[in-house]
Amino acid sequence: MAEMGKGVTAGKIASNMQKKLTRAQEKVLQKLGKADETKDEQFEQCVQNFNKQLFEGSKLQKDLRTYLASVKAMHEASKKLTECLQEVYEPEWPGREETNKVAENNDLLWTDFHQKLVDQALLTMDTYLGQFPDIKSRIAKRGRKLVDYDSARHHYESLQTAKKKDEVKIAKAEEELVKAQKVFEEMNIDLQEELPSLWNSRVGFYVNTFQSIAGLEENFHKEMSKLNQNLNDILVNLEKEHGTSTYPVKAQPRKKTKLFSRLRKKMSSDSTSAKANKTPSSPPDGTPVTSPETKSSVNHEPEPSTLETPGGGIPKSPSQSTEAAAAGAEAAGKEAGAEAAKTETDSGSASSSLPAVVVETFPATVNGTVEGGAPSERADMPPGFLFKVQAMHDYTATDSDELQLKTGDVVLVIPFDNPEEQDEGWLMGVKESDWLQHKEFDQCRGVFPENFTERVQ
């Protein structure tokens, strides 16, 4: 007969179908009570234990996979938490490198713990459960062979009890019975030995599995405890140094460097040319100064450069003002004739009261005083003064246009000439001590980091 497939013939298919039909008939008869069933209570108990062991093992495998998934999720959560700590931990804080090392070791510890759980617990669990499918199929096959044995036995018994005996059929039925019995007993004996052994092995397997998990957890938590202690020591040290402000404060980086060095060079050249073209100051003999620059400077604060020039910025004394007024009277006398002589004669008597008027008005104009009032609060401040700040930390200048600060220094803040040249986090000013001592605005001013100071006025 032609082949139906590889290794399968139509005859074999027919034989298998016949076996299935015979087994189905036998089971029906057994359920109806018309045929007895061979039972083995000891083996049935072994099968019950096998199913229980398989169920427990499968549940343990499922829970172990869930545990491993939780470990992996915890690893990711811990990794993100340490990354967050690294992001908020500023570079100038102490213990930055130690914190990075703790984060790196933390990641390695979680990875190693997860891998060892897979190797020593999950893979062992998979190997343990890997033997159950084969045994389960052999138990099912043994049940089919038992039905075949019962069917052969019933067929042989029916032939023997028949009224008309056919020896040929009886002999053939007996042969089939012996064959079915042999196949069944071989499988039954193997399973009778294997199932109890498998059942007893569960104790050792559970012990080894949970001991491995417990040991791995113990080592993991011990090492993790050391890392956490190290991290705690780093944070405690940070808290102490933060409380005493011993850790260094860093200024924001500047983009517009050497701004005032260029400005000072320019102003220095302008100052040199200005000094060369400057009108000589009034001598002490009372010669009147008619220069527009001198007249304009009377009603405003003197420039810092004029304070350094001897005699150039000295205000006129009351007597000099009187003599200037007398000179003006003489000029008027040339036009008035005889009245000029009278004015000259009366100037001697008026000179005693005229200086009092000049003394009252002159300081009010030069020093910025209000009529009959106290000097202004910003009279001694540099031009454009905004507010005062005090240095809270030492700052070492890194450029020629920066101020060198010591803790406690008071700085008078002034605006930038060009606001676009101001860097974020930087201010311009002059130290109060330098200003009061030298009054040299252009030579003393400079930029400094705002976060090193605190506003006091």
Side-chain angles (χ1 to χ4, degrees):
M1 188 176 288
E3 289 185 355
M4 301 296 293
K6 186 177 180 180
V8 180
T9 62
K12 191 172 183 179
I13 294 176
S15 176
N16 291 335
M17 292 297 296
Q18 183 62 39
K19 287 182 179 180
K20 290 181 180 180
L21 181 60
T22 303
R23 289 167 186 165
Q25 291 176 350
E26 182 64 25
K27 288 182 178 180
V28 171
L29 292 174
Q30 290 176 355
K31 289 182 179 181
L32 294 175
K34 294 182 179 181
D36 59 336
E37 180 181 0
T38 302
K39 292 185 177 181
D40 187 346
E41 294 182 357
Q42 183 179 357
F43 183 82
E44 290 178 357
Q45 183 63 42
C46 290
V47 172
Q48 291 179 4
N49 293 338
F50 172 84
N51 292 330
K52 179 181 179 182
Q53 187 177 0
L54 176 60
F55 174 78
E56 291 176 348
S58 301
K59 186 177 184 301
L60 177 58
Q61 183 187 45
K62 181 180 178 180
D63 293 341
L64 184 57
R65 290 183 182 277
T66 303
Y67 175 75
L68 285 171
S70 300
V71 169
K72 191 170 184 179
M74 189 64 187
H75 177 198
E76 293 297 326
S78 178
K79 186 176 180 180
K80 291 182 179 180
L81 187 61
T82 53
E83 287 176 353
C84 179
L85 175 62
Q86 289 176 292
E87 290 177 1
V88 301
Y89 207 102
E90 298 183 5
E92 65 269 14
W93 291 356
R96 170 74 177 187
E97 295 182 359
E98 291 80 357
T99 304
N100 294 339
K101 188 177 296 183
V102 168
E104 181 180 355
N105 292 336
N106 181 77
D107 182 57
L108 292 176
L109 191 58
W110 276 107
T111 303
D112 181 69
F113 178 53
H114 183 271
Q115 187 60 44
K116 286 182 176 179
L117 282 174
V118 172
D119 296 339
Q120 301 182 25
L122 184 60
L123 294 181
T124 305
M125 188 77 215
D126 294 342
T127 303
Y128 170 74
L129 291 178
Q131 57 188 335
F132 282 81
D134 178 65
I135 297 176
K136 187 176 182 179
S137 64
R138 287 163 58 195
I139 291 175
K141 187 175 182 180
R142 181 242 180 217
R144 293 193 298 270
K145 296 303 179 183
L146 178 58
V147 175
D148 292 343
Y149 168 72
D150 287 340
S151 178
R153 181 170 56 84
H154 293 154
H155 180 62
Y156 175 74
E157 291 175 354
S158 64
L159 290 175
Q160 281 188 332
T161 58
K163 295 181 179 180
K164 185 179 180 180
K165 296 183 179 180
D166 188 341
E167 297 297 335
V168 177
K169 290 183 179 181
I170 292 175
K172 186 176 180 181
E174 184 179 3
E175 182 180 353
E176 291 178 353
L177 176 60
V178 172
K179 182 179 179 181
Q181 184 178 4
K182 182 180 179 181
V183 172
F184 167 73
E185 288 180 351
E186 287 178 354
M187 298 188 65
N188 186 60
I189 292 173
D190 292 340
L191 291 173
Q192 288 280 8
E193 295 176 354
E194 193 170 351
L195 289 177
S197 177
L198 179 64
W199 172 253
N200 294 331
S201 69
R202 76 192 191 285
V203 179
F205 172 75
Y206 294 154
V207 170
N208 293 334
T209 300
F210 284 98
Q211 277 184 345
S212 298
I213 296 175
L216 292 174
E217 282 190 348
E218 180 183 6
N219 293 333
F220 169 76
H221 290 297
K222 186 183 297 183
E223 296 298 325
M224 185 60 71
S225 177
K226 294 179 181 178
L227 288 180
N228 290 334
Q229 184 61 45
N230 293 339
L231 181 59
N232 181 70
D233 294 341
I234 295 171
L235 297 178
V236 168
N237 183 48
L238 173 62
E239 183 181 17
K240 290 181 179 179
E241 297 200 11
H242 177 75
T244 57
S245 299
T246 57
Y247 63 93
V249 180
K250 292 188 177 181
Q252 297 187 22
R254 294 182 60 196
K255 297 180 181 179
K256 310 175 183 67
T257 58
K258 298 184 179 180
L259 172 65
F260 293 101
S261 61
R262 298 193 302 269
L263 181 61
R264 284 170 180 161
K265 289 181 180 179
K266 182 176 183 300
M267 294 192 68
S268 176
S269 60
D270 294 344
S271 176
T272 303
S273 60
K275 288 181 179 180
N277 300 325
K278 185 176 180 181
T279 303
S281 58
S282 301
D285 58 358
T287 304
V289 179
T290 59
S291 172
E293 296 179 358
T294 306
K295 292 180 180 179
S296 62
S297 64
V298 172
N299 295 324
H300 298 280
E301 293 182 4
E303 293 293 330
S305 59
T306 61
L307 295 177
E308 296 179 350
T309 306
I314 300 176
K316 295 180 181 180
S317 65
S319 60
Q320 291 174 342
S321 300
T322 305
E323 293 174 359
E330 289 179 0
K334 292 179 181 180
E335 297 177 0
E339 292 180 3
K342 185 179 180 180
T343 304
E344 280 287 332
T345 305
D346 295 336
S347 63
S349 60
S351 61
S352 59
S353 59
L354 186 59
V357 177
V358 177
V359 169
E360 285 183 358
T361 58
F362 184 80
T365 305
V366 175
N367 295 329
T369 58
V370 189
E371 281 188 359
S376 174
E377 291 183 357
R378 300 177 181 241
D380 294 333
M381 297 301 175
F385 168 74
L386 299 176
F387 53 86
K388 289 184 181 181
V389 295
Q390 186 174 19
M392 306 304 294
H393 310 280
D394 293 346
Y395 176 71
T396 303
T398 59
D399 205 345
S400 59
D401 60 348
E402 296 180 0
L403 292 181
Q404 186 90 3
L405 299 180
K406 293 292 184 181
T407 302
D409 286 348
V410 177
V411 184
L412 308 178
V413 180
I414 57 178
F416 280 75
D417 294 338
N418 184 1
E420 295 181 357
E421 295 179 340
Q422 181 177 4
D423 286 301
E424 182 180 358
W426 289 78
L427 298 175
M428 183 170 71
V430 56
K431 288 198 287 187
E432 186 178 42
S433 59
D434 294 341
W435 172 253
L436 295 177
Q437 182 177 359
H438 304 291
K439 300 289 184 177
E440 295 179 353
F441 176 73
D442 294 329
Q443 299 298 325
C444 297
R445 67 173 174 172
V447 295
F448 61 93
E450 183 178 5
N451 61 329
F452 276 67
T453 61
E454 183 179 25
R455 182 166 177 171
V456 295
Q457 181 177 337

